[in-house]
């Protein structure tokens, strides 16, 4: 006897078929046991009557079901507010000028250092609840606003704690190489030494990071410094990812590929050589339309090159106070289609199976398939393409994490966003 059986719905399993990237099943059913999917298929293929197969049979009133969404790139553990900066930039002050003046990332660093772990946790839980309300079941959370041993550990412990307080899977990422802190101003190499000698070993010893990231950019860290960090990460058996070629082509895409990074993120300025290297290494291109839009970038990431070379494209909120104050993935899907010309099928893949792959969770989440975690989102739409259609996103009717539904959703209203 299965624990739960969901029926009266259509499925976008995201198990791609040659004729259908969504892997659609009309009038489908999903069964879960001990938090994992044990059966997915057309309702009329069920091995018996629903009430004889499962303890709980839930009718979904014709909704569309997708895998629970994956947000594979966020910086949601931080304190402080940068909305004033947003106004400054719209009055003509550049992001670089604000960063060079000690604003930008460093102003969030100061606020985050001043905040207690409890304050940071409370802020992070509020942001995570908003992601969950948008259908998210897996989220990646980076450090990178502490930039001292204690404050980086504080941020990562808070990120780990999020999964203990809310029904969500968390992948944590160490991003000590986000910016050079004031106490190392003008001594970037010494700061990299400090990360390698002191901070990364402590992070690894406490098992606080599932992967290592860095910001490879003129206003942040150079490729050779990132390479030192990635060598250390590999020696510790930790996978890497990279903020690459966001504001200029520093060869970040190729560097990420050289270390078989799980993902290269932003990549607006990635070269064709970099894209080829990513394809060969299996590195996901993580597209971040929120930051592109918010800093009014003009150079669109080379989506056509990614398609031509077979580089999978992920999609995320990049939620951070400076360049992407965004907490809704379906809004990012609309922006990725409108600004980057991704297709709605590519956008949904980016926040499901490609997003999961970028976190090394391809066997755990991102598809509605037997053996994976029973993470499901139910949508009031006429088809999966509609999730990228609405400006401002779509609210799910309900969400299931590890087989457990959230508090009873309004499954009644299924026409148009609620
Ligand atoms: N690239 C970005 O856009 C963010 N971090 C990064 O590496 C900016 C973070 C901030 O401004 O707070
Ligand atoms: Fe980021």
């Amino acid at each position: 006897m299965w624990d739960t059986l969901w029926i009266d719905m259509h499925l976008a399993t995201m198990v791609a078929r040659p004729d259908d990237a969504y892997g659609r099943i009309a009038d489908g059913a999903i069964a879960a046991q001990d938090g994992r999917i044990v059966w997915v298929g057309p309702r009329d293929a069920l091995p018996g009557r629903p009430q004889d197969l499962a303890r709980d049979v839930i009718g979904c009133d014709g909704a569309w079901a997708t895998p629970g969404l994956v947000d594979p790139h966020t910086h949601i553990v931080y304190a402080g507010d940068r909305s004033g900066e947003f106004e400054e930039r719209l009055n003509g002050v550049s992001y670089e000028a604000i960063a060079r003046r000690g604003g930008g990332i460093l102003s969030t660093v100061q606020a985050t250092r001043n905040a207690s772990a409890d304050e940071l946790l409370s802020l992070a839980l509020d942001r995570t609840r908003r992601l969950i309300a948008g259908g998210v079941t897996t989220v990646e959370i980076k450090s990178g606003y502490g930039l001292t041993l204690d404050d980086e550990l504080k941020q990562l412990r808070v990120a780990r704690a999020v999964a203990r307080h809310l029904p969500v899977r968390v992948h944590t990422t160490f991003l000590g190489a986000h910016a050079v802190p004031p106490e190392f101003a003008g001594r970037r190499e010494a700061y990299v030494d400090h990360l390698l000698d002191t901070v990364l070993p402590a992070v690894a010893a406490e098992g606080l990071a599932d992967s290592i990231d860095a910001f490879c950019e003129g206003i942040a860290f150079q490729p050779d410094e990132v390479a030192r960090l990635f060598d250390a990460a590999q020696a510790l058996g930790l996978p890497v990812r990279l903020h690459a070629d966001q504001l200029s082509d520093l060869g970040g895409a190729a560097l990420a590929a050289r270390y078989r990074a799980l993902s290269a993120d932003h990549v607006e300025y990635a070269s064709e050589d970099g894209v080829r290297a990513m394809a060969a290494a299996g590195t996901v291109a993580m597209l971040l339309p929120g930051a592109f839009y918010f800093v009014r970038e003009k150079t669109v990431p080379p989506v056509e090159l990614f398609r031509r070379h077979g580089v999978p494209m992920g999609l995320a909120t990049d939620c951070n106070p400076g360049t992407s104050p965004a907490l809704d993935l379906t809004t990012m899907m609309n922006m990725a289609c409108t600004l980057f010309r991704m297709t709605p099928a590519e956008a949904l893949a980016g926040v499901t199976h490609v997003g999961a792959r970028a976190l090394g969770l391809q066997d755990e989440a991102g598809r509605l398939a037997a053996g994976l975690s029973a993470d499901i989102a139910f949508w009031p739409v006429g088809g999966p393409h509609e999730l990228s259609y609405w400006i401002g996103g779509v609210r799910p009717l309900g969400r299931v994490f590890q087989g457990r539904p959230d508090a009873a959703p309004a499954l009644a209203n299924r026409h148009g966003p609620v």
Side-chain angles (χ1 to χ4, degrees), residues 196-283:
L196 292 169
D197 301 342
T198 307
V199 187
L200 178 55
V203 167
E206 201 174 321
L208 284 173
D210 299 312
S211 65
I212 309 296
D213 193 351
F215 185 17
C216 185
E217 197 48 78
I219 57 171
F221 297 88
Q222 293 300 308
D224 62 321
E225 294 160 342
V226 172
R228 293 179 63 204
L229 195 72
F230 283 4
D231 287 335
Q234 287 196 331
L236 290 163
L238 287 168
V240 302
R241 61 187 74 257
L242 187 63
H243 284 72
D245 304 329
Q246 176 184 0
L247 305 171
S248 63
D249 179 4
L250 278 191
L255 173 63
R258 202 166 88 224
Y259 285 88
R260 308 195 77 75
L262 289 171
S263 68
D265 303 45
H266 289 284
V267 284
E268 275 85 353
Y269 290 83
S271 67
E272 181 150 11
D273 287 348
V275 172
R276 268 200 212 90
M278 289 171 68
T283 296

Side-chain angles (χ1 to χ4, degrees), residues 362-373:
Q362 58 276 6
D363 299 330
E364 182 67 16
R367 289 170 292 136
L368 297 176
L372 274 69
S373 179

Side-chain angles (χ1 to χ4, degrees), residues 99-174:
R100 290 189 201 291
R101 169 196 88 205
I105 294 178
L106 294 184
S107 63
T108 300
V109 168
Q110 205 46 60
T112 303
R113 287 178 176 184
N114 297 344
S116 68
D118 287 349
E119 286 164 338
L120 289 179
L121 180 59
S122 156
L123 291 165
L125 290 176
D126 287 347
R127 293 166 189 144
T128 308
R129 286 190 193 94
R130 286 186 54 191
L131 290 171
I132 287 174
V136 166
T137 49
T138 300
V139 59
E140 184 259 11
I141 303 177
K142 303 174 192 293
S143 67
Y145 286 122
L147 309 183
T148 66
L149 173 62
D150 292 345
D151 293 299
E152 286 293 308
L153 294 177
K154 176 174 70 177
Q155 272 199 289
L156 290 167
R157 288 177 187 136
V158 167
R160 281 272 190 250
V162 167
R164 293 195 296 273
H165 285 75
L166 290 173
V168 71
R169 181 178 298 101
V170 173
H171 174 109
T172 61
T173 299
F174 172 58

Side-chain angles (χ1 to χ4, degrees), residues 73-75 142 175 178 213 243 246 265-266 288 318-320 323:
H73 183 134
T74 84
H75 306 251
K142 303 174 192 293
L175 178 54
H178 194 198
D213 193 351
H243 284 72
Q246 176 184 0
D265 303 45
H266 289 284
L288 307 172
D318 188 19
C319 182
N320 76 78
T323 62

